[in-house]
């Protein structure tokens, strides 16, 4: 089978050849239409062969080259592009920051970050979590995510569990990578398997990995972007024919399900979205609410204050086998610590 790099080279070669051969006014537009058609065809053929990772890579490369293509945007579940922004009604204003994403040639309106569970579940089942995140600039919050009685049982389970283990940058083996400064308690037991299975349905086409967390005073996670590669272990119960043991995986979507009631901002423990350095977003934990974002994206968990109650959550990632794009090709929805540190 053709590798995605070979496909990209072939398509670029086709565009050049078509432009030269046509040699007339409007030749570029015709060549562009042909190139888009090849991207669409390659995407479909990879899907038919069961090579979903290559299909996703080809589609992303097509969008990078032709971000305004209606055909490619439709395949990716993106809204139709718009040429201009007319007034504040086309930009979601949050904390004084206009939430729009910029492509090489135009601005695209973003949908509101927050959505109710009642609205979210029918839509994510008919489309994809990835598409819904792209429409919201890479981050979204789902309120009343599950039936309230389900959330109540999960919280009671975590409050009564004894199998918590301290997780810090000293206790976690990061291999050759430098560990992110963090302190919290982790629970990997089966007590909340029901919630994990429900969370898996957010993105059934991806590989899931979730655990529970308990934050107490002084718990925190320093700024990081969640990017990480790993091998699926033979002991991983989520391995499958699609994702067998030994496969190298890359985190693509992060999810946090909050299970603490009546949390106050002064307690700390909020998720700080640091994607926009000029306008960071402060997301206070809310009971029975899910926050999802595309990876990589720079964020942190604020240090918890003295005297605060424990903060419970279930968190994890959806991953696939497609490597991360080079920094120069990351879209407006992504941000990396490497880019911040090299500026």
């Amino acid at each position: 089978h053709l590798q995605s790099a070979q496909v990209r080279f072939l398509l670029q070669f086709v565009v050049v050849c078509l432009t030269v051969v046509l040699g007339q006014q409007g030749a570029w537009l015709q060549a562009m239409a042909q190139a888009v058609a090849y991207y669409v065809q390659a995407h479909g053929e990879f899907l038919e062969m069961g090579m979903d990772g290559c299909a996703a890579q080809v589609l992303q490369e097509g969008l990078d080259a032709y971000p305004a293509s209606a055909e490619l945007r439709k395949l990716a579940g993106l809204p139709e592009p718009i040429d201009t922004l007319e007034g504040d009604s086309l930009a979601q204003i949050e904390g004084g920051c206009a939430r729009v994403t910029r492509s090489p040639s135009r601005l695209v309106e973003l949908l509101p970050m927050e959505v109710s569970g009642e609205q979210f579940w029918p839509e994510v089942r008919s489309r994809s979590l990835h598409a819904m995140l792209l429409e919201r600039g890479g981050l979204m919050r789902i309120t009343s995510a599950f039936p309230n009685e389900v959330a109540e049982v999960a919280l009671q389970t975590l409050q009564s569990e004894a199998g918590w283990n301290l997780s810090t940058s000293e206790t976690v083996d990061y291999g050759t990578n430098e560990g992110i400064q963090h302190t919290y308690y982790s629970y990997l037991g089966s007590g909340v398997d029901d919630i994990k299975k429900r969370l898996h349905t957010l993105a059934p086409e991806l590989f899931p990995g979730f655990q529970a967390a308990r934050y107490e005073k002084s718990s925190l996670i320093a700024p990081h972007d969640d990017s990480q590669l790993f091998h699926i272990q033979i002991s991983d119960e989520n391995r499958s024919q699609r994702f067998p043991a030994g496969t190298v995986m890359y985190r693509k979507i992060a999810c946090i399900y909050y299970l603490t009631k009546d949390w106050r901002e002064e307690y700390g423990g909020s998720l700080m979205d640091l994607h926009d350095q000029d306008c960071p977003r402060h997301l206070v934990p809310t009971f029975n609410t899910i926050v999802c974002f595309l990876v990589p994206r720079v964020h942190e968990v604020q240090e918890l204050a003295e005297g605060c109650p424990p903060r419970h959550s279930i968190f994890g990632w959806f991953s696939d086998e497609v490597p991360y794009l080079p920094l120069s090709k990351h879209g407006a929805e992504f941000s990396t610590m490497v880019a911040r540190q090299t500026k």
Side-chain angles (χ1 to χ4, degrees):
H1 300 300
L2 287 174
Q3 298 298 314
S4 59
Q6 295 173 307
V7 173
R8 180 171 65 253
F9 175 81
L10 177 61
L11 294 174
Q12 291 172 343
F13 178 75
V14 169
V15 171
V16 173
C17 290
L18 286 170
T19 304
V20 172
V21 171
L22 289 171
Q24 59 189 30
Q25 186 176 15
W28 169 246
L29 291 177
Q30 295 179 48
M32 182 180 69
Q34 290 287 338
V36 168
Y38 276 107
Y39 277 114
V40 172
Q41 180 180 350
H43 175 264
E45 290 177 351
F46 277 132
L47 287 179
E48 288 179 4
M49 291 186 288
M51 301 173 67
D52 292 2
C54 291
Q57 184 80 11
V58 166
L59 181 56
Q60 183 61 58
E61 289 167 358
L63 285 168
D64 288 341
Y66 306 105
S69 166
E71 289 179 272
L72 294 174
R73 294 179 70 86
K74 184 176 181 181
L75 284 176
L78 294 172
E80 289 288 330
I82 57 175
D83 292 319
T84 59
L85 290 177
E86 299 178 0
D88 289 345
S89 62
L90 290 181
Q92 303 299 326
I93 304 301
E94 219 174 82
C97 298
R99 297 178 56 244
V100 295
T101 183
R102 186 178 298 276
S103 73
S105 61
R106 62 189 65 218
L107 292 172
V108 178
E109 178 188 3
L110 294 183
L111 297 179
M113 177 189 72
E114 190 163 296
V115 60
S116 69
E118 183 179 11
Q119 175 188 345
F120 171 78
W121 287 108
E123 185 171 353
V124 78
R125 286 166 181 154
S126 64
R127 302 175 62 214
S128 74
L129 179 59
H130 185 265
M132 293 183 70
L133 284 165
L134 285 174
E135 292 175 343
R136 292 162 174 82
L139 181 146
M140 68 185 303
R141 180 165 52 192
I142 304 120
T143 60
S144 300
F146 299 121
N148 198 64
E149 58 271 19
V150 172
E152 291 281 0
V153 170
L155 175 57
Q156 292 169 15
T157 299
L158 293 181
Q159 288 174 330
S160 62
E161 277 293 343
W164 295 93
N165 295 301
L166 179 64
S167 177
T168 70
S169 51
E170 288 75 36
T171 63
V172 176
D173 182 8
Y174 286 91
T176 58
N177 296 326
E178 182 179 350
I180 302 299
Q181 181 190 1
H182 71 278
T183 303
Y184 59 84
Y185 289 88
S186 173
Y187 171 68
L188 298 171
S190 60
V192 286
D193 278 0
D194 175 60
I195 289 292
K196 290 182 184 179
K197 290 176 182 177
R198 291 173 184 265
L199 288 170
H200 292 178
T201 65
L202 286 165
E205 73 281 6
L206 300 177
F207 182 83
F210 286 85
Q211 60 183 287
R214 186 182 76 215
Y215 291 74
E216 299 179 349
K217 66 176 183 178
S218 301
S219 294
L220 81 164
I221 306 181
H224 62 293
D225 61 26
D226 267 3
S227 61
Q228 186 175 347
L229 63 86
F230 63 95
H231 291 82
I232 298 177
Q233 301 299 309
I234 189 66
S235 59
D236 196 317
E237 62 184 12
N238 294 315
R239 72 185 189 286
S240 63
Q241 184 176 1
R242 169 76 171 84
F243 297 117
T247 306
V248 178
M249 305 296 288
Y250 301 81
R251 293 175 179 173
K252 295 300 175 63
I253 298 175
C255 294
I256 311 105
Y257 178 48
Y258 293 107
L259 281 168
T260 298
K261 294 182 178 180
D262 304 318
W263 195 259
R264 300 177 185 174
E265 185 173 336
E266 56 264 33
Y267 290 159
S270 293
L271 175 68
M272 294 297 297
D273 177 36
L274 306 177
H275 175 67
D276 184 343
Q277 297 182 80
D278 297 324
C279 190
R281 282 191 280 194
H282 191 135
L283 303 176
V284 178
T286 304
F287 183 69
N288 196 21
T289 292
I290 300 173
V291 172
C292 300
F293 55 88
L294 296 175
V295 174
R297 189 181 182 99
V298 180
H299 63 286
E300 68 175 332
V301 177
Q302 289 183 314
E303 183 174 355
L304 272 68
E306 183 79 25
C308 69
R311 199 210 80 173
H312 294 93
S313 63
I314 298 173
F315 75 98
W317 300 270
F318 290 104
S319 308
D320 65 19
E321 72 277 37
V322 181
Y324 296 115
L325 292 171
L327 287 178
S328 60
K329 289 193 173 184
H330 276 302
E333 302 83 9
F334 301 94
S335 54
T336 68
M337 291 298 295
V338 171
R340 300 279 169 90
Q341 294 163 356
T342 54
K343 284 185 177 180

